[in-house]
Coordinates of all heavy atoms in Angstrom, one line a residue:
P217 N -10.9 26.5 2.7 CA -10.2 26.2 3.9 C -10.6 27.1 5.0 O -11.1 28.2 4.9 CB -8.7 26.5 3.5 CG -8.9 27.5 2.3 CD -10.1 27.1 1.6
A218 N -10.5 26.6 6.2 CA -10.8 27.3 7.4 C -9.8 28.5 7.6 O -8.7 28.4 7.3 CB -10.8 26.4 8.7
G219 N -10.4 29.6 8.1 CA -9.5 30.8 8.3 C -8.9 31.3 7.1 O -7.8 31.8 7.0
L220 N -9.7 31.3 6.0 CA -9.2 31.8 4.7 C -8.6 33.2 4.7 O -7.6 33.5 4.1 CB -10.3 31.7 3.6 CG -10.0 32.2 2.2 CD1 -8.9 31.4 1.6 CD2 -11.2 32.2 1.4
N221 N -9.3 34.1 5.4 CA -8.9 35.5 5.4 C -7.9 35.8 6.5 O -7.5 37.0 6.7 CB -10.1 36.4 5.5 CG -11.0 36.2 4.3 OD1 -10.5 36.2 3.2 ND2 -12.3 36.1 4.6
E222 N -7.5 34.8 7.3 CA -6.5 35.0 8.3 C -5.1 35.2 7.7 O -4.8 34.6 6.6 CB -6.5 33.9 9.3 CG -7.8 33.8 10.1 CD -7.8 32.6 11.0 OE1 -6.7 31.9 11.1 OE2 -8.8 32.4 11.7
D223 N -4.2 35.9 8.3 CA -2.9 36.1 7.8 C -2.0 34.9 8.1 O -1.6 34.7 9.2 CB -2.2 37.3 8.4 CG -0.9 37.7 7.9 OD1 -0.5 37.1 6.8 OD2 -0.2 38.5 8.5
E224 N -1.8 34.1 7.0 CA -1.0 32.8 7.2 C 0.5 33.2 6.9 O 1.1 32.8 6.0 CB -1.5 31.8 6.2 CG -0.9 30.4 6.5 CD -1.4 29.4 5.5 OE1 -1.8 29.8 4.3 OE2 -1.5 28.2 5.8
S225 N 1.1 33.9 7.8 CA 2.4 34.4 7.7 C 3.3 33.9 8.8 O 2.9 33.1 9.6 CB 2.4 36.0 7.7 OG 2.0 36.4 8.9
R226 N 4.5 34.3 8.8 CA 5.4 33.8 9.8 C 5.0 34.1 11.3 O 5.3 33.4 12.2 CB 6.8 34.5 9.6 CG 7.4 34.2 8.3 CD 7.5 32.8 7.8 NE 8.3 32.0 8.7 CZ 8.6 30.7 8.5 NH1 8.0 30.1 7.6 NH2 9.4 30.1 9.3
R227 N 4.2 35.2 11.5 CA 3.7 35.5 12.8 C 2.7 34.5 13.3 O 2.3 34.6 14.5 CB 3.2 36.9 12.9 CG 1.9 37.2 12.0 CD 1.6 38.7 12.1 NE 0.4 39.0 11.3 CZ -0.8 38.9 11.6 NH1 -1.1 38.4 12.8 NH2 -1.8 39.3 10.8
S228 N 2.1 33.6 12.5 CA 1.1 32.7 12.9 C 1.8 31.3 13.2 O 1.0 30.3 13.3 CB 0.0 32.6 11.9 OG 0.5 32.0 10.6
L229 N 3.1 31.2 13.2 CA 3.7 29.9 13.4 C 3.3 29.2 14.7 O 3.3 28.0 14.8 CB 5.3 30.1 13.3 CG 5.9 30.4 12.0 CD1 7.4 30.6 12.1 CD2 5.6 29.3 11.0
S230 N 3.0 30.0 15.7 CA 2.7 29.4 17.0 C 1.4 28.6 17.0 O 1.2 27.7 17.8 CB 2.6 30.5 18.1 OG 1.6 31.4 17.7
A231 N 0.6 28.9 15.9 CA -0.7 28.1 15.8 C -0.5 26.8 15.1 O -1.4 26.0 15.0 CB -1.7 29.0 15.1
R232 N 0.6 26.6 14.5 CA 0.8 25.4 13.7 C 1.2 24.2 14.6 O 1.8 24.4 15.7 CB 1.9 25.6 12.6 CG 1.5 26.7 11.7 CD 2.3 26.7 10.4 NE 3.8 26.8 10.7 CZ 4.7 26.7 9.7 NH1 4.3 26.5 8.5 NH2 5.9 26.9 9.9
S233 N 0.9 23.0 14.2 CA 1.3 21.8 15.0 C 1.6 20.7 14.0 O 1.3 20.7 12.8 CB 0.1 21.4 15.8 OG -1.0 21.0 15.1
N234 N 2.3 19.6 14.5 CA 2.7 18.5 13.8 C 3.5 18.9 12.5 O 3.3 18.4 11.4 CB 1.4 17.7 13.3 CG 1.8 16.3 12.7 OD1 2.8 15.7 13.1 ND2 1.0 15.9 11.8
C235 N 4.5 19.7 12.8 CA 5.4 20.1 11.7 C 6.6 19.1 11.6 O 7.4 19.0 12.5 CB 6.0 21.5 12.0 SG 4.8 22.8 12.2
P236 N 6.7 18.4 10.5 CA 7.7 17.4 10.4 C 9.1 18.0 10.5 O 10.0 17.3 11.0 CB 7.5 16.8 9.0 CG 6.7 17.8 8.2 CD 5.9 18.5 9.3

Side-chain angles (χ1 to χ4, degrees):
L220 176 65
N221 295 316
E222 296 176 3
D223 184 12
E224 192 179 29
S225 64
R226 304 306 296 181
R227 64 183 176 86
S228 65
L229 287 180
S230 59
R232 302 197 299 175
S233 61
N234 191 31
C235 300

